[in-house]
């Protein structure tokens, strides 16, 4: 067993992410510095995957390794290395479930990233992506979309051109971009938020959506802030999902009126993200959006973060259990 590992215990951080980013349903995403999950992993003699503890927003999370996102992705990875060893995991959920912030992706990435840190011969990021996707699938009704897993694992802003084989493109972003997240205290299950979408769309809507998705990439890379502002617009998903979030269209208008470059639903919601060019603006947008929800007596959290270019990271590593 010693040959396989260079250390026995690791604690890692795995970030939340914003996916879709307007017109990029299932293909765009970026990682945040806060919130995020922490996971402690130990290599043990007893074969199998043992989840010993789940803390934080754990009200539905199963410890059963066949049903837990972090364990399912880890199982795919262990099968690839003939893993007859055992792994114990503690999962500290430091972000809300069903929030649209890539909670399941963060857990799926945390476990495979952690085991990779312990291995003498680590896997590549695209291999880890495939393992993490197995975990993500069980959280979203068995559909493989990597728009949270990719930014969580690679860091930065990612474009997922395809999943099999993985084709993830890192999109450079302007340094001064800030993201405001408002998380209303309601839960939306991704599986449900996907079921309500239309399976067919009008060609004219598709053309407008392609225009915005392509223009957002160009706007971020140039950078061209006016172009970013014109491109964070979603003609296909937002009109349907917007109805699931109380006062969503007022929240959006409030963000834009207070200087946001763009505002839309984060992933499948209910969190809403807004981009801006300074911390001051990001905070103002957050406090003004919060007022909108306070008026209807809906509690919310605000997170302010720049884009996280690092992705998951090691908090501590040791050779003693
Ligand atoms: N792209 C996904 C969706 C993200 O919007 O359904 C949530 O997993």
């Amino acid at each position: 067993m010693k040959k396989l590992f260079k250390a026995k215990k690791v604690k890692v951080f795995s970030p939340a992410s914003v996916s879709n980013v307007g017109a990029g349903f299932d293909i765009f995403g970026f990682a945040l510095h806060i919130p995020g999950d922490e996971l402690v992993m130990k290599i043990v003699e007893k074969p199998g995957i043992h989840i010993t503890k789940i803390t934080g927003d754990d009200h539905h999370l199963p410890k059963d390794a066949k049903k837990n996102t972090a364990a399912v992705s880890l199982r795919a990875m262990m099968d690839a290395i003939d893993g007859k060893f055992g792994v114990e995991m503690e999962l500290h959920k430091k972000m809300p479930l069903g929030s649209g912030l890539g909670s399941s992706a963060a857990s799926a990435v945390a476990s495979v990233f952690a085991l990779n840190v312990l291995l003498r011969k680590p896997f590549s990021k695209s291999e880890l992506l495939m393992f993490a996707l197995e975990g993500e699938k069980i959280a979203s009704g068995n559909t493989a979309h990597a728009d949270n897993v990719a930014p969580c694992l690679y860091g930065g802003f990612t474009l997922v051109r395809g999943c099999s084989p993985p084709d993830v493109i890192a999109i450079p972003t302007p340094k001064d971009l800030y993201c405001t997240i408002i998380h209303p205290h309601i839960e939306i299950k991704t599986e449900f938020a996907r079921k309500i979408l239309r399976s067919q769309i009008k060609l004219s809507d598709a053309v407008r959506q392609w225009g915005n998705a392509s223009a957002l990439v160009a706007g971020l890379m140039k950078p061209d802030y006016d172009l970013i502002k014109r491109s964070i617009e979603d003609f296909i998903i937002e009109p349907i999902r917007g109805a699931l979030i109380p006062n969503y269209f007022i929240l959006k208008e409030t963000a834009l009126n207070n200087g946001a470059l763009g505002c839309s639903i984060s992933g499948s919601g209910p969190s809403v993200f807004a981009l801006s060019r300074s911390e001051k603006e990001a905070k103002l947008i957050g406090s003004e959006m919060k007022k909108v929800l306070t008026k209807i007596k809906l509690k919310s959290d605000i997170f302010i973060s720049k884009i996280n270019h690092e992705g998951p990271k090691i908090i501590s590593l040791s050779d003693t259990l």
Side-chain angles (χ1 to χ4, degrees):
M1 200 159 90
K2 268 189 180 159
K3 275 192 201 147
L4 265 181
F5 303 105
K6 59 177 188 240
K8 284 187 188 149
K9 182 178 172 184
V10 68
K11 183 174 184 183
V12 300
F13 167 82
S14 180
S17 50
V18 170
S19 58
N20 299 340
V21 201
F25 179 69
D26 278 3
I27 61 169
F28 288 161
F30 60 86
L32 298 167
H33 288 286
I34 50 159
D37 282 353
E38 286 176 10
L39 182 137
V40 180
M41 179 176 285
K42 291 180 199 168
I43 302 299
V44 293
E45 295 289 340
K46 188 179 162 197
I49 297 172
H50 315 285
I51 300 176
T52 52
K53 197 192 241 184
I54 303 178
T55 67
D57 190 359
D58 67 340
H59 51 294
H60 317 291
L61 286 181
K63 282 192 184 159
D64 178 346
K66 287 200 177 72
K67 295 183 186 151
N68 183 287
T69 308
V72 171
S73 59
L74 190 66
R75 172 45 63 205
M77 184 171 177
M78 284 168 69
D79 286 348
I81 45 173
D82 189 23
K84 296 206 172 66
F85 50 93
V87 168
E88 269 183 22
M89 288 195 290
E90 280 177 22
L91 181 58
H92 302 290
K93 293 298 302 176
K94 301 210 165 180
M95 69 170 104
L97 289 174
S99 61
L101 293 173
S103 172
S104 54
S107 297
V109 166
S111 60
V112 298
F113 174 77
L115 184 57
N116 218 35
V117 168
L118 299 177
L119 287 177
R120 266 186 212 287
K121 282 194 188 160
F123 286 94
S124 68
K125 280 204 174 156
S126 59
E127 287 169 319
L128 292 185
L129 182 89
M130 294 309 282
F131 301 139
L133 265 181
E134 290 303 311
E136 174 71 324
K137 265 190 211 168
I138 61 160
S140 55
N142 237 5
T143 55
H145 52 275
D147 53 340
N148 284 108
V149 165
C152 176
L153 180 64
Y154 287 68
F157 190 111
T158 53
L159 157 61
V160 180
R161 199 196 65 80
C163 281
S164 57
D167 195 356
V168 176
I169 300 131
I171 305 296
T173 53
K175 286 199 173 64
D176 58 354
L177 224 45
Y178 280 81
C179 178
T180 306
I181 299 282
I182 183 157
H183 165 239
H185 287 193
I186 56 168
E187 186 179 337
I188 295 178
K189 289 207 183 337
T190 299
E191 193 172 349
F192 171 73
R194 294 180 79 83
K195 271 193 187 141
I196 61 171
L197 299 177
R198 294 193 191 100
S199 56
Q200 296 195 326
I201 55 172
K202 272 189 3 205
L203 185 60
S204 56
D205 285 344
V207 171
R208 294 207 290 172
Q209 196 88 344
W210 291 325
N212 276 338
S214 313
L216 179 59
V217 171
L220 290 169
M221 290 180 78
K222 278 170 126 138
D224 177 336
Y225 295 99
D226 283 337
L227 186 56
I228 294 173
K229 197 166 183 176
R230 296 200 299 279
S231 314
I232 300 185
E233 205 178 358
D234 168 10
F235 296 108
I236 295 171
I237 311 297
E238 184 187 71
I240 299 169
R241 287 186 176 167
L244 300 177
I245 304 168
N247 277 359
Y248 170 69
F249 293 99
I250 300 175
L251 282 174
K252 180 168 174 144
E253 199 186 332
T254 304
L256 295 174
N257 287 342
N258 283 282
L261 284 171
C263 174
S264 195
I265 302 169
S266 177
S268 53
S271 292
V272 173
F273 79 93
L275 294 180
S276 58
R277 292 187 64 182
S278 72
E279 192 174 10
K280 195 175 159 204
E281 268 178 329
K283 284 183 174 163
L284 174 70
I285 291 165
S287 62
E288 291 301 312
M289 286 202 289
K290 196 173 178 66
K291 283 183 199 163
V292 172
L293 295 186
T294 306
K295 265 192 198 149
I296 55 165
K297 299 195 169 39
L298 181 55
K299 287 190 179 151
S300 60
D301 303 311
I302 303 286
F303 301 102
I304 310 273
S305 171
K306 289 187 103 171
I307 294 181
N308 170 356
H309 291 278
E310 193 181 0
K313 61 181 180 194
I314 301 168
I315 298 173
S316 61
L317 181 65
S318 78
D319 204 21
T320 46
L321 295 180

